[in-house]
Amino acid sequence: QPDRLLQSAEQTMMLAKQKGRDHFQFYVASIDQEIRDRKQLENDLSKALSLNQLHLVYQPQINLETKRVIGAEALLRWEHPVRGLVPPDYFIPVAENNGSIVEIGQWVLEQACLQAKLWADKGLPLRIAVNLSAVQLRQSTIVDDILGTLKRHDIPAGRLELEVTETSFMTNLSDAVAKLHTLNRAGISLAVDDFGTGYSSLTYLKKMPVQHLKIDKQFIRDLLVNEEDTRITNTIIDLGRSLNLTVVAEGVETAEQEYYLTQRGCKLAQGYFFSKPLRPADFETFVQGFHEKIVENNT
Ligand code: C2E
Ligand code: CA
Ligand code: CA
């Protein structure tokens, strides 16, 4: 049955591709099951938006010098009716693969802008960071989509930050540079996400109109425990200083990490040490409590 064999081979290859580069995959019967699961997930995801199963949580970003909450990163959550909370690391690659990230990403942007507006009206003028997928950046209408959304919600461009990974500008460098320049000239700030995990090429950094470097949490996790991770973190902080970029540490979980990063001159941080990503109401409570605590400590 050559057809069946060919089909299996094709499906096996597809699975290997979805798992990222440099993966190989043996064909086994359980792959049939895995493929059916994927298809089901894809199908469920296509309805998640209209069924209101998606929501955003916000993780505070702290200025380490002033100990004030200066912004928040918006992170997507999918509450699946049967599977429960599906992690974004699992479903975002699926959405990128079938293109639905374009629609989902636009929804994320709308929600983040609505929230930014609500908070500004309540006297909390926070900058909201939104993750922008490489697939979104490749869309020809992306610049107009983003600027149009800000305008519709009456949000000053400076209130929005976009987080992009290095891999997202690699496929078509000049196109990505042009788009990011336009967004940046309009006042939107740009951050390189997961810095240090990709190619971290200085050529890209020089060409990109970025303001922030986010040190990936994998380096912060073993900061002060693993010498190599400590050195990488130091290097990124120094690089930020010499290129005049603000460095953000993500995944800060302990007081020791916070102390070290502050001493070392890292400007911003986010992580469980301060707070997990929160629903908007809990976020507001957190900010209030966090700022009160600082006032108390200073008196
Ligand atoms: P990311 O952009 O690198 O986001 C940081 C991740 O670290 C988040 O995981 C966050 O919840 C987690 N985190 C924060 N503080 C700590 C900490 O102290 N310790 C540890 N161990 N983890 C911490 P999350 O929310 O599961 O998101 C995973 C990834 O999914 C994100 O990684 C991002 O790449 C992607 N993602 C999430 N929301 C969106 C979205 O709206 N659009 C796109 N394109 N991607 C998104
Ligand atoms: Ca991010
Ligand atoms: Ca990261």
Side-chain angles (χ1 to χ4, degrees):
Q1 288 180 325
D3 275 1
R4 177 87 188 94
L5 182 64
L6 211 62
Q7 196 192 352
S8 299
E10 206 172 331
Q11 291 179 340
T12 309
M13 184 177 76
M14 190 181 83
L15 252 178
K17 271 189 185 162
Q18 286 184 354
K19 288 185 175 167
R21 283 165 192 273
D22 304 331
H23 263 276
F24 62 87
Q25 181 87 52
F26 291 109
Y27 176 77
V28 280
S30 69
I31 283 179
D32 272 345
Q33 186 57 43
E34 207 178 316
I35 285 170
R36 254 179 274 130
D37 276 358
R38 279 260 171 184
K39 278 269 166 254
Q40 184 65 49
L41 191 80
E42 235 180 296
N43 196 33
D44 291 352
L45 186 58
S46 70
K47 297 181 211 132
L49 260 183
S50 56
L51 294 176
N52 273 318
Q53 293 168 356
L54 301 181
H55 69 267
L56 295 183
V57 284
Y58 297 86
Q59 186 172 42
Q61 296 189 324
I62 315 290
N63 180 319
L64 290 174
E65 278 167 31
T66 63
K67 303 286 186 234
R68 299 209 45 107
V69 179
I70 58 97
E73 178 177 5
L75 293 155
L76 189 55
R77 294 291 176 265
W78 179 18
E79 192 78 59
H80 188 283
V82 181
R83 296 173 194 239
L85 210 57
V86 183
D89 278 331
Y90 187 63
F91 73 83
I92 293 214
V94 174
E96 287 179 327
N97 242 298
N98 70 12
S100 60
I101 190 67
V102 173
E103 197 191 344
I104 293 174
Q106 178 59 33
W107 180 87
V108 168
L109 196 64
E110 299 276 353
Q111 290 301 304
C113 286
L114 275 172
Q115 194 57 61
K117 180 78 184 151
L118 278 174
W119 278 335
D121 289 348
K122 281 188 173 182
L124 261 182
L126 298 168
R127 183 181 62 211
I128 312 285
V130 169
N131 292 285
L132 189 73
S133 154
V135 178
Q136 287 175 276
L137 189 59
R138 258 183 260 135
Q139 300 299 305
S140 58
T141 58
I142 189 66
V143 172
D144 291 339
D145 292 345
I146 293 171
L147 297 179
T149 308
L150 284 176
K151 208 163 185 176
R152 234 180 8 264
H153 292 278
D154 191 25
I155 309 283
R159 197 77 36 90
L160 179 69
E161 171 153 288
L162 294 171
E163 299 193 355
V164 291
T165 57
E166 292 159 288
T167 35
S168 64
F169 17 96
M170 297 203 337
T171 34
N172 191 344
L173 185 62
S174 58
D175 178 61
V177 174
K179 285 169 174 166
L180 293 176
H181 262 295
T182 312
L183 291 168
N184 191 228
R185 268 196 305 267
I188 296 171
S189 60
L190 300 172
V192 184
D193 208 353
D194 300 345
F195 191 75
T197 64
Y199 294 81
S200 305
S201 150
L202 297 179
T203 313
Y204 291 139
L205 263 194
K206 223 181 86 181
K207 287 201 174 120
M208 288 297 154
V210 297
Q211 288 72 51
H212 292 160
L213 291 184
K214 285 192 92 170
I215 311 177
D216 193 68
K217 60 177 181 292
Q218 80 174 73
F219 303 117
I220 305 298
R221 187 183 51 215
D222 292 329
L223 187 65
L224 307 176
V225 177
N226 179 309
E227 204 181 311
E228 199 171 47
D229 289 337
T230 311
R231 256 190 266 124
I232 290 173
T233 301
N234 287 341
T235 305
I236 297 176
I237 293 171
D238 293 338
L239 182 67
R241 187 173 299 120
S242 49
L243 293 179
N244 208 9
L245 302 172
T246 305
V247 176
V248 189
E250 79 174 12
V252 177
E253 293 188 358
T254 68
E256 289 74 25
Q257 292 165 351
E258 185 221 27
Y259 182 77
Y260 182 79
L261 290 163
T262 308
Q263 291 305 301
R264 200 62 184 60
C266 176
K267 266 274 172 52
L268 303 177
Q270 59 185 98
Y272 298 163
F273 175 66
F274 306 104
S275 169
K276 296 206 168 200
L278 300 167
R279 294 274 206 161
D282 296 330
F283 187 96
E284 289 166 28
T285 312
F286 169 82
V287 175
Q288 211 170 24
F290 191 77
H291 288 167
E292 269 165 20
K293 200 175 70 196
I294 303 306
V295 173
E296 266 168 35
N297 286 346
N298 288 343
T299 50

